[in-house]
Amino acid sequence: MDPLGDLILARFNYWIYVVLMMIGLYAMITKNNLIKKLIGMSIFQTAIILFFVSTGVKEGATIPIIDHGEDHGSELVEAPAAAEHVPEGRGFDHEEALESDAFANPLPHVLMLTAIVVGVATLGVGLSVVQKVFIRFQTLEEDQILENIRTSDG
Amino acid sequence: MADQAPLLILLFPLFGAVTISLIGPWKKQLCLPVAIVATIGSLAAALTAFCDVLQVGQVQYFLGGWESPRGIGIELRIDHVNGLVAIVVTAVALITAIYSARRVDDEFEGKVPLFYALFLLSATGLIGMTLAGDAFNLYVLLEVASLTGYALVAMGKERRAAMSAFNYIVMGTIGASFYLLGVGYLYLKTGSLNMGDIHQIIVDQDLRGSKIIQVAFILILIGVWIKMAFFPLHAWLPNVYSFAPSTSACLMAPLVTKVAVYVMIRMMLTVFGPETVFVALPWSEIVIWLAVLDIVVASFMALAQKNLRRMLSYLIIAEVGYMVGGAWLANHYGMVGAIYHIISDSFMTLCMFLAAGILFTKSDALTGFKGMFVRKPATMMAFTLGAFSLIGIPPTCGFFSKFYLIRGGIESGHWEFVIALLFSSLINVVLFFRIIEFAYFHIDEKGSKPDQTEAPAAATPITQVISLWTAAIAVLLIGLFNQPIVGWIQTTLRPLTIVGGQG
């Protein structure tokens, strides 16, 4: 692969998250409307969630559920790549034959569940504060609010 | 029971918050007792845990006994330094809870149970940030502390409180997101989230020069700098602390920035290690110059303020510069001074904000200090004690932290930092002697001193006097007992390279 493709195509997930992050940051800094700023904040947080989720991906890997085989009396899913390494005549024993390349890394996804909850909570607090600002100032445009503060301070 | 102390520090305020939100709407008068019991319990647990640390060294606590490798379990880790910081956080929460007794009805009309629930949750988050032994748990607890902080600020009656809370949300979220991104890069390279494991992997695989590790460190650094309001990223702080209700400000102003500074020091020492921070990354010079700029600019801004709490907010920013600069001197005494200053500055700031809350209930213009000593002598005396500590007059704790910071600056040859510290002390002298002169020796236009009987002030509630004087006496005691405190800090630093000192 040529250097350019190596830099952009092979790492496209990083590029996407960086671009999304910059869009969010741009909205937070330049937008005048408080709700638009909050939307920017959400995009910013989502970009990081995407980054984390994309790091858990492996080529040709399956969902990270370990099949205990005979312990549970069923032969549900055979781990595709790992199955070759399992010695004949034995069930899939996770202590001996767990091939980590065969499974997507679940930890980043689990972390992001928490981060999504945090993001929702932040957005909720943000929206309620915006509501409070609106009650006080009767507007959501930042320049008008600042103007209002300046005139009332004398 | 004593084995569980590290967890109990967190559980008391957490369950206190849950209890208050359950019973609060029906039994409003129970909120304050629950809050006080929760913070006392938390303080007692912190003291027990610290006694353990004194006997056995570092204490590791695994939640649910889940000691699995690669640190997927939740770990609390207490050494001498964060044991002390945890005691400070719980003590400040207790003092603020006592102070709040007669204030909340006025400041949070009809929202008292909500206030106490948020107050305890915020304390939980801050305590958790100091104790967490896992980089991702730290992020979650940081967000717990921040989200409750946003709400505590926005609950104020002041018109501009909501708008400053909004800016705080935006800035705080950017900071926390940068931290999270940094943790992501760390995980990408080391495959672990546990702080001890990460450090082990960085050392074992010699990742100190790795670009990914350095990017992770810089992202985390920017995140915590936003949270602690370090110089170019400080814009949110003055509005937040001057427009927040005084009870919220008394909890947040002493703690939020200090805990963030502690997180930075912990990241530098126990996660990345001094070699990565000071040797592999040629940033020391830049950061110290930033700290110098922070101290000088914030001191000048403080000089320009006409309101007490706004002036104190700029002083907080200047103090952040002391601590960041001290930590980055790459020198034993600089680091000792920075950690000691976390402890002393928490109580100094608490003392000043409590005094500001008692002295001024509405407008806190500095001109209001005229003849204040005659009206509120006890409060003014505690205020003066806090002011002396901010200036750095012995035997208050402010003197000793400056002493160690300056010693660190001289030993490492960073004279610009020493000069900035002395300059900032000078500005503080100007700021506070102006106020003290107003308050003690003011002579009005007719040339007569204000009559003692002329201005009978409403008596200050006893709870507020107790809380203020506890903070003021703590400022003195931390100064007088600086030897053992510094000894404990040195015990933790000694095994480390670069900042470990010679003996």
Side-chain angles (χ1 to χ4, degrees), chain B residues 199-465:
Chain B
H199 182 63
Q200 206 55 48
I201 293 166
I202 289 178
V203 172
D204 289 348
Q205 303 181 7
D206 200 22
L207 296 174
R208 284 174 203 131
S210 154
K211 286 278 180 289
I212 298 183
I213 295 292
Q214 291 181 2
V215 166
F217 180 63
I218 291 166
L219 286 171
I220 288 176
L221 207 57
I222 291 172
V224 289
W225 278 354
I226 292 177
K227 287 283 174 195
M228 73 175 81
F230 189 52
F231 167 57
L233 311 165
H234 67 281
W236 59 268
L237 186 139
N239 278 339
V240 167
Y241 290 164
S242 41
F243 299 129
S246 91
T247 345
S248 312
C250 285
L251 178 74
M252 291 170 63
L255 295 181
V256 172
T257 52
K258 265 48 118 192
V259 170
V261 171
Y262 173 69
V263 169
M264 179 190 77
I265 290 177
R266 187 182 183 99
M267 284 289 159
M268 287 164 70
L269 296 184
T270 62
V271 180
F272 292 91
E275 294 93 350
T276 322
V277 175
F278 297 123
V279 181
L281 199 69
W283 268 41
S284 289
E285 294 289 321
I286 305 169
V287 178
I288 290 170
W289 273 106
L290 272 179
V292 168
L293 260 177
D294 172 295
I295 295 171
V296 173
V297 171
S299 296
F300 270 121
M301 293 298 285
L303 205 54
Q305 301 309 317
K306 295 192 177 68
N307 295 66
L308 177 61
R309 285 211 283 167
R310 218 172 161 73
M311 183 188 98
L312 292 175
S313 306
Y314 278 103
L315 287 183
I316 293 178
I317 300 174
E319 309 276 330
V320 168
Y322 289 16
M323 289 177 271
V324 176
W328 278 85
L329 286 175
N331 167 286
H332 179 61
Y333 282 104
M335 189 58 86
V336 169
I339 296 171
Y340 183 79
H341 199 65
I342 292 178
I343 297 161
S344 56
D345 194 37
S346 302
F347 282 104
M348 289 179 337
T349 317
L350 176 68
C351 184
M352 299 310 273
F353 269 81
L354 287 174
I358 294 171
L359 292 174
F360 302 106
T361 38
K362 292 218 161 57
S363 155
D364 63 344
L366 290 176
T367 45
F369 267 108
K370 281 177 185 155
M372 190 57 96
F373 183 70
V374 178
R375 274 178 280 154
K376 293 187 174 171
T379 314
M380 241 355 257
M381 274 162 71
F383 178 87
T384 312
L385 201 62
F388 280 179
S389 185
L390 276 168
I391 295 168
I393 296 176
T396 53
C397 54
F399 168 75
F400 293 101
S401 49
K402 269 190 193 136
F403 172 79
Y404 288 110
L405 287 170
I406 287 176
R407 183 169 172 185
I410 292 173
E411 278 183 9
S412 59
H414 286 286
W415 291 94
E416 69 277 13
F417 184 63
V418 176
I419 291 167
L421 280 179
L422 295 175
F423 172 77
S424 143
S425 306
L426 212 65
I427 295 267
N428 286 356
V429 170
V430 175
L431 284 173
F432 287 112
F433 276 93
R434 196 175 59 179
I435 291 174
I436 290 167
E437 194 199 335
F438 260 176
Y440 282 70
F441 308 112
H442 175 69
I443 297 167
D444 62 20
E445 288 81 21
K446 290 165 211 149
S448 60
K449 287 191 172 186
D451 196 1
Q452 196 135 6
T453 50
E454 197 180 40
T460 315
I462 186 76
T463 47
Q464 297 181 17
V465 177

Side-chain angles (χ1 to χ4, degrees), chain A residues 17-45:
Chain A
Y17 106 78
V18 167
V19 167
L20 275 177
M21 221 170 121
M22 290 305 120
I23 291 172
L25 208 56
Y26 174 81
M28 270 190 278
I29 292 168
T30 59
K31 291 295 167 195
N32 196 24
N33 188 301
L34 298 187
I35 297 288
K36 286 184 183 164
K37 276 179 191 277
L38 279 185
I39 293 172
M41 191 180 86
S42 259
I43 296 174
F44 189 79
Q45 289 181 312

Side-chain angles (χ1 to χ4, degrees), chain A residues 14 17 21 25 28 34 37-38 41 44-45 48 51-52 55 105 107-108 111 114 118 121-122 125-126 129-130 132-133 136-137 142 145 148-149 152-153, chain B residues 72 111 136 139-140 143 147 150-151 154-163 165-167 169-170 173-174 177-178 180-181 183-185 187-188 193 219:
Chain A
Y14 298 102
Y17 106 78
M21 221 170 121
L25 208 56
M28 270 190 278
L34 298 187
K37 276 179 191 277
L38 279 185
M41 191 180 86
F44 189 79
Q45 289 181 312
I48 291 168
F51 160 70
F52 264 85
T55 61
N105 186 353
L107 193 63
L111 298 183
T114 317
V118 169
T122 315
V125 174
V129 168
V130 165
K132 198 155 181 175
V133 170
R136 297 273 161 93
F137 295 95
E142 198 181 18
I145 294 169
N148 191 328
I149 289 172
S152 64
D153 276 6
Chain B
I72 295 166
K111 294 179 192 162
F136 187 77
Y139 163 75
V140 175
E143 284 287 28
L147 286 171
Y150 307 147
M155 277 167 88
K157 282 180 174 171
E158 164 75 44
R159 241 169 118 240
R160 293 164 68 176
M163 194 54 206
F166 181 82
N167 286 331
I169 292 176
V170 172
T173 305
I174 296 177
S177 302
F178 269 113
L180 180 61
L181 201 56
V183 172
Y185 276 102
Y187 178 70
L188 218 59
L193 289 169
L219 286 171

